[in-house]
């Protein structure tokens, strides 16, 4: 009897202290996570630089100057007036780059997200059901991996007479950037399917759908994140390739389109280094960031990859 | 070798080619407003000015692909033509056929692809292995972040940078073409010099970028190997450092490296084509760029079909060779 009243406030107190601690704990845990996974932190930081450039830039730089003929004379080297110079058509490079960055990121995120959804579904179904379904889906994945996607995309894009839109390009690219995700998720589901907690859930009569969403999905999250960044990289690469060939959404400013125009106007031969150099710097920061983050995510998902030293 | 393995790999090769052939057929036939016919008609309208005669192409096109017939008949006609090795005429370079143009461009692309692959594989594997090797110089180990950057950035961006510094700024190497304009290619020393000089920049761009990929793959594999018992034993036996590194470590991880290369071959080829465009290098990539600029659909499709075929064939051959050189891979793995 005496235990009851004393136990009541005690449990209440612990409840309070845990809820307070969980706020602090979350921050500590996040700090610990980023400290332990330096590669994710560094990668994320580099990507955020590019994101901030594209999304905060408009607050500091007048995007009107990205219009053709807005800064004359054209083809100026960087100066106090135009920090990154101007192109051969009188666009301010800095304004143009800021204008172009968000749409380049958007294509990648849309295509990467769609790609990972397709890939995860294919990998999931293949791994979970096995048998002939697995053989069938794996064959399709192997075939898709052997096809140079860029070339088929080129055929597709060249046949469209009414030009490309950003969304259509993202959709088409997604059709060629799901295979990596499918392979990773399939392998994981195959190994998880046999684990005991799944077995227990199955034996206690849980439905397949329940097992999928409540037992498997949470464990797959790190792999899904890593796969998303992987297909994001592939998607931005494909978009840049298409745009460099002049097959992108040409009426919109993207970083790849800037590269197309510098090639069109022979900026390299004419020594206009600021024209081709500045988008390349952004690409290097972006790709390096994404790539380092994806290595970090892979190690987080699969700690055995981490160096033992 | 297990016949079932060969049959399965061959089936995959045939399926890959069949899928691409079919997808391209459907894309071109189901595209709204038949762009090919529109292009042919536009060329015909233009022919008066240029003096070229486009009429035969349009006729040949209609006849050859039985455009008035139902879809399945068109498909059979299309397949029959492909099997005969007939990819049609180049629409903008009549009477040159697509096969003519591609076979003229193919040696350039294959040459540069082979050289860069071998060099990047050797160099990248060595660097990657040294980075993972705990007893190598700190300076070498510190190059890991550099590899991460080069592995991440597309080939042709390096191409632009190299082109500017070595070709335009310091004027050390030519920035474009396969040989100097007007140079006649023959079997002599001068030709070799010309070919090397012009291939150096595009090849370097590809090598720098793919060295990163090879190096990272090699490093990851070496880190795993370093923990193996046989490595410990080799060390305990007092074997020479170099012998452990070369014979015990590198040899065992080199073969799995080829698998990862096979997986990325398709995207490597795509990257190489873009490098050719940067350097106006007369391979398949430049052919493709020009075809896109002129809306030469037959050429675009021809390049896609032949490149896909070549990549699929290369993968098939690698699949066949692989079990022969690495006994750890069983032929009958399901």
């Amino acid at each position: 009897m005496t235990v009851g009243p004393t136990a009541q406030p005690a449990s209440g107190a612990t409840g309070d202290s845990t809820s307070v601690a969980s706020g602090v704990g979350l921050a500590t845990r996040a700090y610990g996570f980023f400290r332990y996974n330096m590669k994710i932190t560094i990668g994320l930081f580099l990507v955020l630089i590019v994101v901030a450039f594209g999304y905060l830039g408009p607050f500091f730089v007048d995007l009107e100057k990205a219009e053709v003929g807005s800064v004359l004379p054209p083809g100026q080297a960087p100066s106090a007036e135009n920090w990154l110079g101007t192109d051969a058509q009188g666009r301010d490079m800095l304004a143009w780059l800021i204008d172009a960055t968000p749409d380049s990121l958007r294509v990648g995120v849309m295509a990467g997200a769609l790609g990972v959804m397709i890939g995860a579904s294919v990998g999931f179904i293949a791994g979970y059901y096995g048998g002939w379904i697995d053989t069938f889906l794996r064959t399709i994945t192997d075939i898709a991996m052997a096809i140079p996607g860029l070339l088929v995309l080129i055929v597709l894009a060249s046949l469209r007479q009414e030009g490309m839109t950003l969304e259509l390009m993202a959709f088409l690219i997604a059709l060629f950037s799901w295979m990596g995700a499918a392979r990773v998720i399939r392998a994981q589901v195959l190994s998880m399917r046999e684990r005991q907690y799944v077995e227990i859930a199955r034996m206690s009569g849980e439905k397949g759908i329940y097992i999928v969403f409540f037992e498997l999905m949470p464990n797959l999250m790190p792999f899904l994140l890593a796969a998303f960044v992987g297909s994001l990289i592939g998607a931005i690469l494909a978009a840049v390739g298409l745009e460099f060939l002049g097959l992108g959404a040409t009426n919109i400013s993207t970083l790849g389109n800037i590269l197309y125009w510098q090639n069109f106007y022979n900026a390299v031969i004419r020594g206009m280094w600021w024209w081709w150099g500045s988008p390349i710097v952004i690409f290097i920061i972006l790709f390096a960031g994404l790539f380092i983050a994806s290595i970090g995510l892979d190690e987080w998902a699969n700690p055995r990859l981490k160096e033992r030293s | 070798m297990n016949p079932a393995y060969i049959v399965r790999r061959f089936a995959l090769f045939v399926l890959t080619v069949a899928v691409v052939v079919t997808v391209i057929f459907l894309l071109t036939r189901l595209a709204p407003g038949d762009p090919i016919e529109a292009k042919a008609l536009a060329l015909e309208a233009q022919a008066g000015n240029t003096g070229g005669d486009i009429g035969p192409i349009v006729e040949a096109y209609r006849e050859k692909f039985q455009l008035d017939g139902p879809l399945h008949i068109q498909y059979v006609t299309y397949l029959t033509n492909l099997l005969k090795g007939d990819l049609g005429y180049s629409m903008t370079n009549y009477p040159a056929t697509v096969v003519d143009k591609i076979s003229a461009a193919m040696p350039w692309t294959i040459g540069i692809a082979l050289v860069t692959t071998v060099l990047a594989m050797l160099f990248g594997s060595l660097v990657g292995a040294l980075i993972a090797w705990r007893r190598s110089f700190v300076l070498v180990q510190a190059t890991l972040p550099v590899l991460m950057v080069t592995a991440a950035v597309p080939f042709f961006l390096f191409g632009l940078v190299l082109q500017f510094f070595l070709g335009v700024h310091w004027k050390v190497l030519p920035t474009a073409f396969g040989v100097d304009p007007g140079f006649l290619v023959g079997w002599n020393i001068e030709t070799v010099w010309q070919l090397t000089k012009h291939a150096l920049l595009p090849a370097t761009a590809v090598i720098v970028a793919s060295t990163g990929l090879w190096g990272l793959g090699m490093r990851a594999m070496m880190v795993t190997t370093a923990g193996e018992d046989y490595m410990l034993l080799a060390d305990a036996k007092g074997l020479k450092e170099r012998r452990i590194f070369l014979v015990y470590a590198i040899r065992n991880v080199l073969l799995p490296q080829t698998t990862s290369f096979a997986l990325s071959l398709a995207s490597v080829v795509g990257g190489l084509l873009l490098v050719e465009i940067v350097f106006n290098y007369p391979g398949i990539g430049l052919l493709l760029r020009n075809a896109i600029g002129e809306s030469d659909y037959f050429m675009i499709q021809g390049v896609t079909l032949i490149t896909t075929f070549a990549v699929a064939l290369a993968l098939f051959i690698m699949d066949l060779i692989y079990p022969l050189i690495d006994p750890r891979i069983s032929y009958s793995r399901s």
Side-chain angles (χ1 to χ4, degrees):
Chain A
M1 276 305 280
T2 50
V3 178
T6 45
Q8 204 63 19
S11 74
T14 48
D16 281 344
S17 69
T18 45
S19 72
V20 170
S22 71
V24 181
L26 198 68
T28 331
R29 282 218 330 256
Y31 174 74
F33 174 82
F34 284 115
R35 249 203 85 148
Y36 182 67
N37 299 287
M38 268 322 264
K39 289 197 183 111
I40 299 181
T41 315
I42 295 172
L44 211 57
F45 177 72
L46 291 176
V47 174
L48 280 178
I49 292 179
V50 176
V51 173
F53 175 76
Y55 284 93
L56 300 181
F59 295 108
F60 302 99
V61 174
D62 181 13
L63 290 192
E64 299 262 298
K65 287 200 291 185
E67 301 288 319
V68 171
S70 60
V71 189
L72 295 170
Q76 299 171 51
S79 62
E81 196 82 356
N82 307 103
W83 289 0
L84 294 177
T86 62
D87 80 335
Q89 291 180 301
R91 293 156 161 232
D92 176 60
M93 281 307 300
L94 181 61
W96 194 11
L97 287 168
I98 290 173
D99 193 29
T101 303
D103 278 335
S104 276
L105 294 172
R106 238 154 47 90
V107 175
V109 172
M110 284 193 288
L114 191 57
V116 93
M117 274 192 255
I118 301 174
S121 316
V122 170
F124 215 101
I125 295 170
Y128 192 76
Y129 292 102
W132 68 270
I133 298 178
D134 182 29
T135 314
F136 175 71
L137 290 177
R138 222 177 55 210
T139 309
I140 289 185
T141 313
D142 282 347
I143 290 175
M145 275 195 117
I147 298 174
L150 186 63
L151 284 171
V152 182
L153 283 174
I154 287 170
V155 174
L156 253 170
S158 69
L159 285 169
R160 261 189 79 84
Q161 287 163 321
E162 56 267 50
M164 221 20 140
T165 63
L166 220 55
E167 288 75 17
L168 182 67
M169 189 161 74
F171 174 73
L172 295 178
I173 290 171
L175 296 181
F176 291 92
S177 54
W178 54 269
M179 292 81 76
R183 289 173 70 99
V184 172
I185 299 300
R186 173 182 170 275
Q188 284 310 312
V189 172
L190 264 184
S191 84
M192 283 180 191
R193 202 173 55 161
E194 307 305 327
R195 298 216 186 132
Q196 284 190 330
Y197 60 86
V198 178
E199 198 70 4
I200 289 170
R202 202 177 289 139
M203 278 193 293
S204 56
E206 298 293 0
K207 293 246 167 55
I209 296 284
Y210 176 89
I211 297 177
V212 165
F213 281 100
F214 292 92
E215 303 287 350
L216 293 178
M217 268 303 182
N219 293 302
L220 282 177
M221 275 328 269
F223 293 95
L224 284 173
L225 260 178
F228 168 66
V229 176
S231 57
L232 180 65
I233 295 174
I236 298 182
L237 277 176
V240 174
L242 274 183
E243 288 163 351
F244 181 65
L245 287 164
L247 292 172
T250 39
N251 54 341
I252 301 170
S253 289
T254 62
L255 295 173
N257 285 343
I258 297 183
L259 287 175
Y260 168 76
W261 286 115
Q262 69 77 25
N263 193 51
F264 187 86
Y265 284 103
N266 292 316
V268 176
I269 307 293
R270 288 160 75 181
M272 297 163 78
W273 50 269
W274 56 92
W275 190 351
W276 57 266
S278 44
I280 287 185
V281 170
I282 297 181
F283 272 128
I284 288 180
I285 299 175
L286 180 64
F287 280 122
L290 286 172
F291 194 72
I292 293 170
S294 90
I295 296 178
L297 284 169
D298 277 339
E299 287 177 355
W300 174 50
N302 189 357
R304 262 172 299 176
L305 290 175
K306 235 181 182 154
E307 253 176 293
R308 267 165 268 183
S309 58
Chain B
M1 203 184 287
N2 188 331
Y5 174 83
I6 302 178
V7 168
R8 197 165 49 233
R9 288 292 140 179
F10 185 69
L12 201 64
F13 163 63
V14 173
L15 270 174
T16 307
V17 175
V19 164
V20 173
V21 164
T22 309
V23 163
I24 287 182
F25 170 80
L26 290 176
L27 284 179
T28 44
R29 293 308 181 282
L30 301 180
D34 193 351
I36 296 184
E37 211 175 340
K39 173 66 180 174
L41 290 173
L43 282 172
E44 194 173 33
Q46 211 184 59
N49 308 328
T50 57
D53 189 8
I54 200 74
I57 306 182
V58 183
E59 278 313 304
Y61 169 67
R62 289 180 166 287
E63 164 125 14
K64 181 182 278 175
F65 295 103
Q66 311 244 321
L67 285 188
D68 305 321
L71 205 62
H72 64 274
I73 300 284
Q74 288 185 33
Y75 186 56
V76 172
T77 322
Y78 167 82
L79 283 184
T80 323
N81 283 324
L82 280 185
L83 285 177
K84 282 189 280 186
D86 182 357
L87 294 170
Y89 290 104
S90 159
M91 297 171 96
T92 45
N93 293 291
Y94 186 78
T97 65
V98 169
V99 173
D100 288 343
K101 300 287 271 184
I102 293 180
S103 29
M106 203 50 133
W108 296 95
T109 304
I110 290 184
I112 214 159
L114 281 180
V115 171
T116 52
T117 307
V118 171
L119 288 180
M121 180 183 149
L122 289 178
F123 188 60
S125 302
L126 190 66
V127 172
L130 282 174
I131 287 177
W133 195 241
R134 224 170 281 172
R135 278 159 284 194
S136 58
F137 296 115
V138 182
L139 212 64
V140 176
Q141 291 177 342
T143 53
L144 182 60
V146 181
L147 284 197
M148 285 187 181
V149 174
T150 59
V153 176
F155 300 170
F156 77 99
L157 293 187
F158 280 112
L160 289 172
V161 176
L162 287 173
Q163 190 182 37
F164 175 72
F165 283 107
L166 292 172
V168 178
H169 195 67
W170 292 317
K171 296 194 172 51
V172 199
L173 288 166
T175 55
F177 313 121
V179 291
D180 285 343
F183 180 81
L184 286 175
V185 177
W187 290 104
N188 49 39
I189 294 293
E190 182 62 12
T191 304
V192 175
W193 167 238
Q194 283 279 335
L195 291 177
T196 318
K197 195 169 72 170
H198 283 267
L200 217 49
L201 280 184
T204 312
V206 178
I207 291 173
V208 167
S210 42
T211 292
L213 281 176
W214 283 99
L216 288 181
M218 190 72 180
R219 181 189 153 272
M221 221 90 80
M222 282 288 281
V223 168
T224 328
T225 311
E228 299 280 353
D229 288 342
Y230 65 82
M231 294 290 287
L232 195 67
L233 179 69
D235 216 7
K237 279 200 296 188
L239 289 178
K240 287 244 170 59
E241 180 78 31
R242 185 187 299 171
R243 188 173 156 78
I244 301 178
F245 179 68
L246 290 177
V247 181
Y248 284 72
I250 286 206
R251 249 184 72 179
N252 277 300
V253 289
L254 214 48
L255 288 171
Q257 275 276 79
T258 47
T259 321
S260 51
F261 175 71
L263 288 179
S264 61
L265 185 63
S267 53
V268 167
V269 168
L272 179 62
L273 299 188
L274 295 176
V275 171
E276 287 184 358
I277 293 167
V278 167
F279 288 99
N280 269 302
Y281 200 75
I284 299 288
L286 194 64
L287 198 63
L288 185 66
R289 204 272 309 266
N290 293 339
I292 292 169
E294 296 160 345
S295 303
D296 190 343
Y297 297 108
F298 291 166
M299 189 64 88
I300 299 175
Q301 288 159 30
V303 169
T304 307
L305 287 174
I306 289 189
T307 312
T308 315
F309 182 78
V311 170
L313 188 66
L315 289 177
F316 174 56
I317 294 173
M318 275 169 86
D319 274 337
L320 290 190
I321 297 175
Y322 198 53
L324 295 180
I325 54 174
D326 190 351
R328 282 173 295 187
I329 304 299
S330 68
Y331 312 111
S332 51
R333 200 175 50 176
S334 58

